[in-house]
Amino acid sequence: MSLTGDLRGNNHTYLPQGGNNIISSALHWGPDPANDNWWQNNEKLSALHSTYSGKYHTFGLEWSEKYIFTYVDTRLLQVLYTNFDKPFWAKGDFPPSTPNGTSLVDPWSQTGRDSTPFDQDFYLILNVAVGGTNNWFEDGMAGKPWVNESPTAKLDFWNARDQWYPTWDHGMEVKSVKMWQQKGHNGC
């Protein structure tokens, strides 16, 4: 289970989804990778009259026993808000089994908390992800030089670097990372 915050490295002219003028957040959760229901709470926020690469921004996360949300620069500019108002298994509306017939079992109900699986310690990871075969960059759109299902997708991506590299803002700059925890707060 994880929370992601994504910002494409492509410039703002990247279509159809946008580039460095769009930020998104999603919770990744499901009983297995094939049933990751990130799409049920993937939210995007457009920059107003600018991009997110022109200056430093505060990308924040507030996480409690009742909700989790992400924001940009101020808590008022929320990107994603997920209320822990019912169990994630019920939110998922998962199929009874995988395509090969393996039963899907609720791994979270034993806690009795609606916030499970987001009621445990997690790690902060900052990275620059490129390419990908999870449809974040849709096949056939904006001259994408690889196909997700290709056995050589990573190589195809690399071989096309002269095409995509010039469209990127090159790199990730981090001015600071700060984390706080409420006194006496256990769990989340």
Side-chain angles (χ1 to χ4, degrees):
M1 305 316 112
S2 66
L3 178 130
T4 60
D6 296 306
L7 174 66
R8 285 186 175 85
N10 305 79
N11 69 35
H12 68 281
T13 61
Y14 181 80
L15 297 172
Q17 301 105 333
N20 58 12
N21 59 324
I22 302 285
I23 186 169
S24 71
S25 292
L27 289 176
H28 289 266
W29 53 282
D32 59 33
N35 288 289
D36 175 359
N37 279 8
W38 66 271
W39 53 269
Q40 284 190 350
N41 53 16
N42 178 40
E43 299 292 337
K44 296 178 182 176
L45 182 68
S46 296
L48 298 174
H49 312 294
S50 65
T51 68
Y52 288 108
S53 65
K55 65 178 184 173
Y56 285 107
H57 293 275
T58 298
F59 297 99
L61 164 73
E62 187 167 316
W63 180 16
S64 79
E65 295 173 355
K66 297 183 183 203
Y67 60 83
I68 190 168
F69 74 84
T70 61
Y71 62 90
V72 178
D73 294 328
T74 170
R75 293 175 68 220
L76 299 176
L77 286 177
Q78 290 184 2
V79 179
L80 167 82
Y81 183 91
T82 300
N83 195 352
F84 299 147
D85 57 350
K86 72 178 186 178
F88 272 83
W89 190 259
K91 286 182 183 192
D93 194 26
F94 298 108
S97 63
T98 64
N100 71 6
T102 303
S103 292
L104 291 177
V105 179
D106 177 355
W108 310 310
S109 63
Q110 69 277 4
T111 69
R113 292 184 297 272
D114 290 345
S115 60
T116 304
F118 298 100
D119 59 352
Q120 55 191 296
D121 291 339
F122 284 86
Y123 298 93
L124 174 66
I125 299 172
L126 303 174
N127 72 350
V128 177
V130 297
T133 56
N134 64 355
N135 217 28
W136 178 242
F137 295 96
E138 296 178 36
D139 285 346
M141 302 300 282
K144 178 181 166 185
W146 74 96
V147 176
N148 290 339
E149 298 300 320
S150 170
T152 60
K154 293 176 185 175
L155 180 61
D156 298 340
F157 170 77
W158 179 247
N159 286 339
R161 65 189 171 276
D162 291 341
Q163 176 184 339
W164 54 258
Y165 189 73
T167 71
W168 282 24
D169 284 333
H170 303 130
M172 173 174 56
E173 294 181 33
V174 177
K175 185 175 179 181
S176 67
V177 175
K178 301 173 185 173
M179 300 173 92
W180 296 268
Q181 181 173 339
Q182 293 176 346
K183 287 186 176 183
H185 184 68
N186 295 323
C188 297

